[in-house]
Amino acid sequence: MRYTYLIATFLFSVCSGAKAQEKLLSKDEAVSLALENNFGIKVAMNQLAIAENNSGLLNSGYLPSLSGSAGANYNELNSNTEYPGQFDSEGIPRPDLEINDAESQSYNAGLSLNYTLFDGFGRLYNYKRLKEQYHLTELQARETIENTILQLFSVYYEVARLSENENVLRQALQISKDRIKRAEYSFEYGQNTKLDILNAQVDVTNDSISLMNVQQNLVNAKRDLNVVLSQNLNERYAVDTLVSFIPRLQIEEYIARAKEYNVAILQTERNLAINEYDIKVNRSGYLPSLGLSGSYGWNLNQSAATSFIPGQIIPGSNRNSLNFALGASLTWNLFDGGGTAVRVKNSKIAYENQELLKEQVSLEVDRDILNALEIYENRLQIFKIQEQNVITNQNNFERSKEQFQLGRITSIEFRQAQINLLNAQTNKNLAKYDAKLAELQLLQLTGQLLEVSF
């Protein structure tokens, strides 16, 4: 018996000390940490940066292309030319012509510029398409943030629920320990039997085990919270257990404007715009393209000495030249085997499919909002009922405690009243956070999750 009591006392003191060392993590601080450190959000932001680069002027095709080139060549010639059967005017055989170390060099450098003046508006519509793709990536990043915020509060409120349950079970354990003392005193004065002490010891053991299980679940939930926040797993936070609900009138306003802000519907609209530009880009294949080109070059040729007359060597020469050229080109693919026509037809079909998808998503969003609203109202009503149930069981427990102290009810009846209160309190905690999470899910569907204070 003494061993059980010491374990319970030690457990209570350890829990109190650990709780005192934890720092409070408010909801706003949790959101800030998640936005700053969550890995999924960081990946989404990097994807958004890539989309921004792709939609910029440097990737638009509107800028000209400029290339430079340079080169150098070196040549060394050693030659020996024979003239068999040839004689000079005096009848002497013509001597061989030998040239050694005849060096020649050439150098060149140039710039070439190309610019497309007109390509059938394909460049224009592709640029606009990339802008729409950037806005679509923004919405995808927003969706990632919304899902992360929901995940964050799912874990945050689980930590809050378990923290409140821990306090409830700690109080229950303290009540059971007080029963042991009372049962021991009563037994010493002959007012009850040993059975009351044993019953109290059993209750202390059960309450201790329940508290240990909740504490283990709480530690695991805090690790889950650190994962969402991308913090050290050993970091320990105490969370805010205060929950407030948005007024019904404000919820109705959000629902009325859901089509304007729901991220899934907005994404289908962006995809629809992208498909529309795809049609225009493919149609540009029917039109001609006009381009300009220009070049500027420098050449230096240093030739080696040569000789074609016996006994005479003609020295080498240096030639330095600069050239500048401009040109224009018109290209019109009059018939490409039907490829452009097929691409235009397919892009139109893709556009029609996107319109159908938009209608489907809109219908699904309406359904999800109605379901989420009913779930929210149902859970909110359950929470209110559980609040009243706690008050009822608290009154019942206080009366049972008085009757137990007067010896008018047994320890078993008192324990049942205590269990009823314990269940009512934990059920109220569960109902409170279930209702809040249902509200957050409804806010996400209406596109207001990132616009409200938590």
Side-chain angles (χ1 to χ4, degrees):
M1 182 273 295
R2 192 65 180 167
Y3 179 71
T4 302
Y5 179 78
L6 289 174
I7 290 179
T9 304
F10 175 75
L11 184 62
F12 181 80
S13 61
V14 168
C15 296
S16 301
K19 199 172 187 64
Q21 296 175 359
E22 294 177 345
K23 57 183 179 181
L24 177 64
L25 178 68
S26 69
K27 302 180 184 71
D28 289 338
E29 289 173 339
V31 172
S32 297
L33 284 174
L35 294 177
E36 182 180 353
N37 301 312
N38 181 266
F39 295 121
I41 293 179
K42 285 184 176 181
V43 170
M45 291 299 101
N46 287 337
Q47 295 293 339
L48 184 60
I50 292 174
E52 184 178 11
N53 293 335
N54 289 336
S55 65
L57 185 63
L58 296 178
N59 194 45
S60 66
Y62 276 104
L63 299 180
S65 62
L66 178 65
S67 61
S69 62
N73 291 293
Y74 172 81
N75 186 42
E76 181 178 323
L77 176 65
N78 295 310
S79 65
N80 183 32
T81 305
E82 298 179 353
Y83 302 95
Q86 297 185 27
F87 301 91
D88 59 15
S89 59
E90 298 179 359
I92 299 174
R94 185 175 179 177
D96 296 344
L97 178 62
E98 184 175 354
I99 299 177
N100 294 317
D101 300 326
E103 297 180 349
S104 63
Q105 300 92 21
S106 66
Y107 305 93
N108 65 85
L111 294 173
S112 61
L113 178 71
N114 291 282
Y115 183 67
T116 301
L117 289 176
F118 179 74
D119 66 345
F121 300 109
R123 176 177 54 184
L124 171 64
Y125 293 129
N126 187 63
Y127 180 62
K128 292 182 176 180
R129 183 188 184 280
L130 290 173
K131 288 293 185 183
E132 289 295 335
Q133 185 65 50
Y134 169 73
H135 294 311
L136 176 61
T137 308
E138 276 187 320
L139 292 172
Q140 292 170 344
R142 173 188 151 187
E143 184 179 27
T144 299
I145 293 173
E146 288 181 352
N147 291 334
T148 302
I149 295 300
L150 271 183
Q151 181 188 13
L152 166 65
F153 279 107
S154 176
V155 179
Y156 186 94
Y157 286 138
E158 178 65 8
V159 174
R161 184 184 73 85
L162 292 172
S163 297
E164 290 195 285
N165 286 354
E166 180 188 18
N167 292 332
V168 170
L169 288 168
R170 187 180 293 113
Q171 293 172 6
L173 177 60
Q174 185 60 50
I175 292 172
S176 297
K177 290 192 296 181
D178 291 341
R179 276 182 54 208
I180 290 182
K181 293 180 180 179
R182 181 179 179 82
E184 289 176 343
Y185 292 149
S186 297
F187 178 73
E188 291 176 1
Y189 289 100
Q191 295 178 354
N192 60 13
T193 64
K194 187 72 172 179
L195 181 60
D196 290 329
I197 299 177
L198 295 176
N199 286 335
Q201 291 175 355
V202 169
D203 292 338
V204 166
T205 301
N206 290 334
D207 290 343
S208 299
I209 292 173
S210 297
L211 180 58
M212 292 174 65
N213 288 334
V214 167
Q215 288 173 334
Q216 181 59 62
N217 293 334
L218 180 59
V219 170
N220 293 343
K222 288 183 177 181
R223 290 196 184 101
D224 292 338
L225 180 61
N226 285 325
V227 169
V228 178
L229 300 177
S230 299
Q231 299 293 300
N232 188 303
L233 293 180
N234 294 322
E235 196 74 37
R236 290 290 180 266
Y237 296 109
V239 299
D240 184 7
T241 59
L242 180 64
V243 170
S244 60
F245 296 95
I246 298 176
R248 175 59 189 265
L249 183 60
Q250 192 172 352
I251 290 289
E252 291 177 351
E253 292 178 359
Y254 291 157
I255 294 175
R257 304 173 61 186
K259 293 292 182 67
E260 301 176 29
Y261 299 103
N262 179 270
V263 69
I265 293 179
L266 294 177
Q267 286 185 54
T268 59
E269 292 176 351
R270 292 298 181 184
N271 280 319
L272 201 60
I274 290 173
N275 285 114
E276 185 176 5
Y277 285 127
D278 284 338
I279 296 175
K280 295 178 178 180
V281 169
N282 290 322
R283 279 179 177 169
S284 67
Y286 291 128
L287 299 177
S289 61
L290 178 63
L292 289 179
S293 62
S295 64
Y296 179 81
W298 167 78
N299 289 278
L300 173 62
N301 291 311
Q302 297 176 338
S303 62
T306 59
S307 176
F308 294 99
I309 302 175
Q312 296 184 7
I313 297 178
I314 301 175
S317 62
N318 294 337
R319 182 182 180 185
N320 194 346
S321 63
L322 297 173
N323 66 286
F324 177 75
L326 284 176
S329 63
L330 176 68
T331 304
W332 197 338
N333 194 347
L334 299 177
F335 182 69
D336 63 352
T340 299
V342 171
R343 287 190 292 271
V344 171
K345 289 179 180 178
N346 289 341
S347 58
K348 288 181 177 179
I349 295 173
Y351 182 82
E352 292 175 2
N353 285 341
Q354 191 61 42
E355 285 184 318
L356 295 173
L357 181 60
K358 180 182 177 181
E359 293 179 5
Q360 178 185 356
V361 170
S362 179
L363 184 62
E364 290 176 350
V365 167
D366 288 340
R367 176 205 62 192
D368 293 342
I369 288 177
L370 290 176
N371 290 344
L373 179 60
E374 291 186 1
I375 292 173
Y376 169 62
E377 291 177 337
N378 182 61
R379 291 183 178 178
L380 193 59
Q381 188 63 31
I382 291 175
F383 171 56
K384 294 178 180 178
I385 294 173
Q386 292 292 356
E387 280 187 314
Q388 185 60 45
N389 190 38
V390 168
I391 296 175
T392 302
N393 279 277
Q394 183 69 48
N395 292 334
N396 179 64
F397 174 74
E398 294 299 334
R399 290 178 61 85
S400 298
K401 184 177 180 181
E402 293 175 3
Q403 296 295 316
F404 176 68
Q405 291 174 347
L406 294 173
R408 294 177 181 176
I409 63 173
T410 65
S411 61
I412 296 177
E413 292 173 315
F414 174 73
R415 176 63 176 177
Q416 186 59 51
Q418 181 187 9
I419 292 176
N420 290 341
L421 176 60
L422 177 64
N423 291 336
Q425 290 171 326
T426 55
N427 288 337
K428 186 206 72 171
N429 293 337
L430 177 62
K432 177 172 67 172
Y433 296 115
D434 279 350
K436 187 60 182 179
L437 286 175
E439 181 186 81
L440 295 180
Q441 290 168 350
L442 180 58
L443 290 174
Q444 183 191 27
L445 289 170
T446 59
Q448 300 297 327
L449 181 62
L450 304 181
E451 306 298 326
V452 299
S453 59
F454 300 102

